[in-house]
Amino acid sequence: MRSAEIRSTFLDFFRERDHRVVPSGPLIPPDPTLLLTNAGMNQFKPYFLGETEPEHPRAMSVQKCARTSDIENVGRTTRHSTFFEMLGNFSFGDYFKAEAIAWAWELFTRHYGLDPERLWVTVYLDDAEAEDLWRRVGVPSERIQRLGMADNYWSMGTPGPCGPSSELHYDRGPAFGREGGPAVDGERYQELWNLVFMQNLRGEGTGKGDYPILGELPAKNIDTGLGLDRLAAVLQDVDTVCETDLLAPTLRLVQELAGRPYPGRDGGEDSLSFRVVTEHARAIAFLIADGVLPARDGRGYVLRRLMRRAVRHARRLGIDEPVLAPVTGSVVGNLGGAWPELERQSELIERVVAAEEDGFERTLRQGTRLLESAISRADTTLSGQTAFELHDTYGFPIDLTLDAARSAGLTVDEDAFADLLEKQRRQAHRAGQDRKGDAVARRDLYRRVVAEHGRTDFVGYSSTTAETRVVALLDGTGTTSIASEGDELEVVLARSPFYAEGGGQVGDTGTIRTPGAVLEVVDTRPGIDGLHVHTVRIVDGEVRPGDEAEATVDADRRAATARSHSATHVLHAMLRRVLGDHAAQRGSRVEPGRLRFDFAHFSSVPEIGTVQTLVNEYLADDPDVRVWEASRADAEAAGAVALFGEKYGDAVRIVDIGDASRELCGGTHVGHGSQAGPVHIVGESSIGTGLRRIEALTGPDALRHFDHERALLAELVALLNVPPDQAPDRLRQRLDLLAETQRELDALRRAELDALAERLASRAEPVPSGWLVAQRIDDATAADLRTLASAIVASGDGRGLAVLGTASDGKAQLVAATGPRTGVQARDLLTDAAREVGGGAGGKGALANAGGRHPENLTKAIATAAAQARTL
């Protein structure tokens, strides 16, 4: 049975049992507690928690999943994958164990045709009900095993829904391992389908099965996960998932690139490498298609690790040419029909993997040189410090270091390496804990305010003024009963028109007036649970909790910020239109008249002018800006974009700008698109691997920038005395002439220095290691000194030493150079001399330099260096 038929059989079976098909969610989950979508139930978490009412109590899906917790097992076993398709059926408070178990048995034995005699079942150790239900459908007691929490109690890996589970396993036969059932050998008795009786809520924990159960969910639910890869391997009678029709075309391509056949399941390290390259190619393609780009941390690091692991194993197979582009292209060709996003993003996938593989090759070359040098100096063991520096500074993978050391007959001090990694982690953790401690104390204070006074009634969407009351004054340690002129503190109001910073938009500023005081609001930030916290400076008088107040937002600043926010939404839409859906927002800063927008992309954006034109043309058409509210599920179904890193409740606010942009957003916006323009992009740059940043001006600020640029052009035209359209060519001519003149001057200066070097060398004095020139050179730069010193020692027999110095701008500069036959390190000549001028010596080998703030001691310093040379 081919994979397409396996999918359709599953969906048809549960469709007949009144399940609604739900499309796969993306691999980047909306749940902030998850790095990647790791199970079919992820998108249904709000239903299990009772936060959202489902439209229908039964669902089914074919969900894309990515897990890398067992990455080292990928390729070593027949069943582990980093990417897989999970077939699942779900009940939200509807049916429970009896139906789930009966249907699973029926589907496996009657529709997929699996031999009932080869099916085994595991249940949670105290789940007698599930065991009895399995016996009723025909599973004998001897093929039912009870296992503990680590094996048969399932959760997402984070706090949330969980419950006891029951798994269906298939006996693949003695060729795959020992007898005794799943409790003895998971490779032979391979888990195919996990039925989770989702009924509990878990808390924090440190590992699998090591977490507290906090209580019951609002209803008893069913969550199942059937791995398509594993079932396909059984139904297609192949040894490993890489040999199923899901991956076989890619495996064949790897064999062609390697120029040799796949040796089969038991082919040792070569078999492992074939399977790793094949399996990782699929994960890489799907991750990029869903918007993940390589980075130093987070899900981007997961992708980078998969790429580098695939490349390393390809090199082990003797594939020296670029490999990621062809193998991911094979994945697109094979699975693009089932997953159209692969075909839509095929160009992006190819460009990303090519750029990453090229960069990794440079890392390998640089790291290999450093590693070979360290190996040549080692006796029996490569230090953990060396391995750590290669890993931390150069990104050189530790397993490559281990392989290279092993090949050279060395071991690596892995304990020291692990200690250094742990020390780095602890330092970062301590710094984070210090910040966390301050934040926790502040949150506790805000929580007390909310408990006593309730949340802030925010009225700023409809008004920039409000009649209100001061409910709390907060200083650095807690609440206070009075504040007077000159004090700076935080104020909480009962009602507030001030927007609290969020979603990238800065907080409002303005004025609060009470009968006895005037307060300048310099910032507004969110507290917790809907609290708005106003940072203020008391301009006049005294203020106390309970005072009536009038709050007024700086309306001009608010309007300028709203222009920038609406422009940001349209910019986001046009970037995705030009670059692709992967160019999603990764951060923003929305300020009055200006914006900063961070987005995912892997290279510079030459189309930035096109993006700017599209933004301004769209805004000039004056699209309506519509704000509406809906449930989170309804908003997502309507295509609203949820932004990276933002947390949303069940009820969300959606902002539509014409037909170009629909985003979940709590910020303030203009009423019509034309009010946001014009937009002028002033910069586009890289801020990290896979991340770009655009900075732009909006509205009057953009016009003022245009005026400034026009004034600069007018001044340039006047200086060049040409019409504006001829200014670039004329300036280019002048710069070319200036560059040629500079080259001539440099040549004259070099000739002058060469002549000086020759004269100085002719007056050298003999020293034990050869001959010495020690001289003060006035009106010289540090670069001149280096050129002179190098020329002096190069002019003789390789036994020359040169020490030169100059003084200017209150500083002394020293340079030393040594010939190859002297056996002298240049830095040794300057160590004592550097102290004379109040500095230190740097450099290594044949050239060194020193500097200091005591130019008056330069002559003495040169003499000190010369005396040192006479002893070497």
Side-chain angles (χ1 to χ4, degrees):
M1 187 180 289
R2 315 309 289 168
S3 58
E5 189 179 353
I6 297 173
R7 294 190 197 97
S8 62
T9 298
F10 182 90
L11 296 176
D12 289 344
F13 181 87
F14 284 103
R15 188 178 288 112
E16 292 172 0
R17 288 152 183 79
D18 196 28
H19 288 64
R20 300 276 179 86
V21 64
V22 177
S24 173
L27 288 172
I28 299 178
D31 187 339
T33 67
L34 293 174
L35 191 67
L36 293 165
T37 297
N38 64 5
M41 61 76 61
N42 288 172
Q43 61 179 321
F44 303 122
K45 180 180 174 182
Y47 301 154
F48 292 132
L49 292 173
E51 298 173 347
T52 304
E53 186 73 22
E55 291 184 2
H56 192 72
R58 301 181 180 187
M60 57 182 171
S61 68
V62 179
Q63 174 64 53
K64 297 177 293 187
C65 297
R67 295 180 188 171
T68 56
S69 56
D70 293 323
I71 191 171
E72 295 304 326
N73 288 324
V74 172
R76 297 192 180 278
T77 71
T78 63
R79 67 191 191 277
H80 282 93
S81 300
T82 55
F83 172 90
F84 54 93
E85 298 176 43
M86 182 175 282
L87 312 177
N89 59 289
F90 307 89
S91 165
F92 312 117
D94 187 18
Y95 63 84
F96 200 45
K97 293 182 184 179
E99 294 88 345
I101 287 172
W103 288 339
W105 186 255
E106 180 183 354
L107 179 59
F108 261 16
T109 58
R110 297 184 189 175
H111 295 266
Y112 286 133
L114 294 177
D115 181 358
E117 299 299 318
R118 300 180 72 171
L119 289 173
W120 287 64
V121 171
T122 59
V123 299
Y124 184 51
L125 56 87
D126 63 0
D127 194 349
E129 179 188 8
E131 181 176 354
D132 181 60
L133 289 168
W134 281 114
R135 283 199 299 266
R136 290 186 192 180
V137 300
V139 183
S141 296
E142 60 268 21
R143 292 210 306 273
I144 302 175
Q145 296 181 328
R146 294 196 184 195
L147 299 178
M149 196 167 183
D151 296 293
N152 275 94
Y153 204 96
W154 194 91
S155 80
M156 298 165 57
T158 61
C162 64
S165 69
S166 182
E167 297 171 344
L168 270 165
H169 301 254
Y170 184 79
D171 180 2
R172 306 198 71 188
F176 288 84
R178 298 173 294 161
E179 291 185 1
V184 172
D185 194 323
E187 186 75 354
R188 170 173 172 171
Y189 300 91
Q190 192 166 121
E191 176 203 339
L192 298 181
W193 201 351
N194 189 14
L195 314 180
V196 182
F197 311 126
M198 196 73 79
Q199 61 194 56
N200 300 116
L201 185 68
R202 67 159 280 188
E204 293 281 358
T206 58
K208 188 175 181 181
D210 180 20
Y211 47 79
I213 304 301
L214 303 180
E216 300 288 322
L217 293 173
K220 293 183 183 299
N221 312 282
I222 288 295
D223 154 35
T224 82
L226 169 58
L228 177 61
D229 283 9
R230 296 182 182 183
L231 181 57
V234 169
L235 294 178
Q236 295 170 19
D237 193 25
V238 295
D239 286 350
T240 70
V241 297
C242 289
E243 295 163 82
T244 67
D245 67 323
L246 293 160
L247 287 169
T250 305
L251 178 60
R252 286 195 294 271
L253 177 61
V254 177
Q255 294 175 74
E256 293 174 12
L257 295 172
R260 53 196 171 106
Y262 168 62
R265 175 165 61 94
D266 298 322
E269 291 298 308
D270 280 356
S271 290
L272 167 69
S273 294
F274 272 108
R275 292 193 291 269
V276 167
V277 177
T278 300
E279 195 284 331
H280 284 9
R282 180 177 56 170
I284 291 163
F286 273 93
L287 285 167
I288 296 172
D290 271 11
V292 180
L293 294 177
R296 292 175 63 93
D297 52 20
R299 54 180 65 98
Y301 178 72
V302 172
L303 173 61
R304 172 164 287 166
R305 187 183 181 196
L306 290 171
M307 289 181 175
R308 293 185 168 188
R309 197 165 187 259
V311 170
R312 294 201 311 270
H313 280 277
R315 300 299 179 262
R316 286 178 178 176
L317 293 173
I319 305 173
D320 294 325
E321 67 268 25
V323 69
L324 292 182
V327 294
T328 53
S330 169
V331 171
V332 172
N334 185 41
L335 298 177
W339 299 98
E341 59 268 37
L342 289 174
E343 292 184 344
R344 287 197 303 270
Q345 301 292 352
S346 60
E347 182 181 353
L348 172 68
I349 294 168
E350 182 178 4
R351 293 173 64 185
V352 170
V353 299
E356 183 68 14
E357 185 167 1
D358 181 63
F360 185 43
E361 285 294 334
R362 291 195 297 272
T363 295
L364 285 176
R365 287 193 295 270
Q366 183 180 27
T368 299
R369 287 195 298 270
L370 295 169
L371 180 58
E372 288 174 348
S373 175
I375 287 174
S376 68
R377 298 192 303 270
D379 293 327
T380 59
T381 303
L382 197 67
S383 73
Q385 180 68 40
T386 297
F388 178 75
E389 288 177 359
L390 283 165
H391 162 82
D392 189 54
T393 305
Y394 301 101
F396 200 77
I398 181 60
D399 48 353
L400 277 189
T401 301
L402 292 169
D403 286 347
R406 193 178 298 118
S407 299
L410 303 174
T411 60
V412 176
D413 190 343
E414 294 184 65
D415 290 339
F417 173 80
D419 288 344
L420 289 166
L421 272 182
E422 178 62 18
K423 180 181 178 182
Q424 184 186 61
R425 188 198 65 78
R426 286 197 304 267
Q427 288 174 342
H429 180 71
R430 278 197 299 270
Q433 287 298 103
D434 291 343
R435 294 190 295 270
K436 184 178 179 181
D438 293 340
V440 168
R442 210 66 189 159
R443 282 200 303 271
D444 288 344
L445 175 59
Y446 294 152
R447 193 171 286 113
R448 292 198 298 272
V449 173
V450 172
E452 184 174 352
H453 302 286
R455 62 186 298 168
T456 305
D457 180 14
F458 175 59
V459 297
Y461 289 137
S462 58
S463 177
T464 55
T465 62
E467 297 297 325
T468 185
R469 178 173 51 84
V470 177
V471 299
L473 303 176
L474 312 177
D475 59 17
T477 57
T479 59
T480 184
S481 59
I482 187 171
S484 55
E485 183 177 337
D487 288 346
E488 295 184 1
L489 71 164
E490 294 177 342
V491 171
V492 178
L493 303 174
R495 302 173 73 234
S496 176
F498 292 91
Y499 178 81
E501 179 177 344
Q505 179 174 328
V506 297
D508 279 336
T509 62
T511 305
I512 299 172
R513 295 180 182 273
T514 70
V518 178
L519 291 68
E520 178 189 4
V521 179
V522 298
D523 192 16
T524 308
R525 295 178 296 102
I528 60 168
D529 299 332
L531 195 72
H532 285 218
V533 180
H534 310 82
T535 303
V536 306
R537 182 174 63 85
I538 312 299
V539 177
D540 182 51
E542 293 180 341
V543 62
R544 294 175 173 81
D547 286 352
E548 298 298 319
E550 180 183 33
T552 305
V553 174
D554 183 336
D556 290 340
R557 185 177 182 274
R558 160 77 77 82
T561 305
R563 282 193 292 270
S564 296
H565 206 153
S566 298
T568 299
H569 282 217
V570 176
L571 173 63
H572 186 194
M574 296 309 162
L575 273 169
R576 289 164 69 101
R577 181 177 297 181
V578 172
L579 301 178
D581 288 342
H582 72 279
Q585 179 172 333
R586 288 293 182 263
S588 68
R589 179 75 172 173
V590 178
E591 300 179 272
R594 64 187 307 116
L595 64 91
R596 187 185 73 212
F597 186 81
D598 301 338
F599 61 101
H601 195 55
F602 49 88
S603 63
S604 60
V605 185
E607 307 94 336
I608 201 67
T610 300
V611 173
Q612 177 176 289
T613 299
L614 288 173
V615 170
N616 283 308
E617 286 179 348
Y618 193 80
L619 293 175
D621 287 340
D622 200 25
D624 287 337
V625 178
R626 185 171 75 96
V627 179
W628 51 291
E629 293 186 353
S631 70
R632 172 71 184 274
D634 288 343
E636 291 181 351
V641 175
L643 300 185
F644 177 80
E646 291 294 320
K647 295 183 179 180
Y648 304 96
D650 182 41
V652 294
R653 185 172 181 266
I654 304 102
V655 176
D656 291 348
I657 303 182
D659 59 0
S661 172
R662 171 170 286 174
E663 293 188 12
L664 305 186
C665 181
T668 61
H669 288 268
V670 298
H672 292 271
S674 61
Q675 296 171 320
V679 175
H680 181 52
I681 296 175
V682 295
E684 189 273 330
S685 60
S686 170
I687 57 169
T689 305
L691 286 177
R692 310 293 299 180
R693 171 170 291 171
I694 284 176
E695 295 180 85
L697 302 173
T698 61
D701 290 86
L703 294 174
R704 281 190 285 271
H705 189 78
F706 287 136
D707 289 341
H708 176 65
E709 289 184 330
R710 188 165 52 248
L712 290 175
L713 177 60
E715 184 177 356
L716 180 62
V717 164
L719 289 170
L720 294 172
N721 194 28
V722 293
D725 58 349
Q726 296 180 18
D729 285 340
R730 179 60 59 86
L731 181 58
R732 196 174 294 109
Q733 293 169 8
R734 295 283 179 88
L735 291 174
D736 288 345
L737 178 61
L738 181 61
E740 179 60 31
T741 303
Q742 186 63 52
R743 284 192 292 271
E744 293 175 358
L745 288 173
D746 289 344
L748 290 172
R749 179 60 173 165
R750 181 57 192 253
E752 182 182 347
L753 292 175
D754 286 344
L756 178 57
E758 188 177 343
R759 291 197 301 274
L760 291 173
S762 68
R763 301 199 293 266
E765 65 169 289
V767 292
S769 58
W771 47 269
L772 167 69
V773 172
Q775 184 71 42
R776 175 173 181 149
I777 310 293
D778 292 322
D779 299 323
T781 66
D784 289 341
L785 293 186
R786 287 192 292 273
T787 300
L788 266 176
S790 298
I792 288 170
V793 299
S795 65
D797 54 2
R799 299 177 64 245
L801 305 175
V803 177
L804 306 177
T806 191
S808 62
D809 299 326
K811 292 193 295 185
Q813 296 282 342
L814 290 163
V815 170
T818 61
R821 297 176 60 195
T822 62
V824 176
Q825 294 290 310
R827 184 174 178 175
D828 293 342
L829 297 176
L830 297 183
T831 301
D832 294 334
R835 298 192 188 99
E836 299 286 354
V837 294
K844 58 184 179 180
L847 191 65
N849 58 79
R853 294 282 182 181
H854 296 292
E856 67 276 9
N857 294 337
L858 177 62
T859 301
K860 184 178 179 182
I862 293 173
T864 299
Q868 179 69 21
R870 295 182 187 108
T871 66
L872 298 175

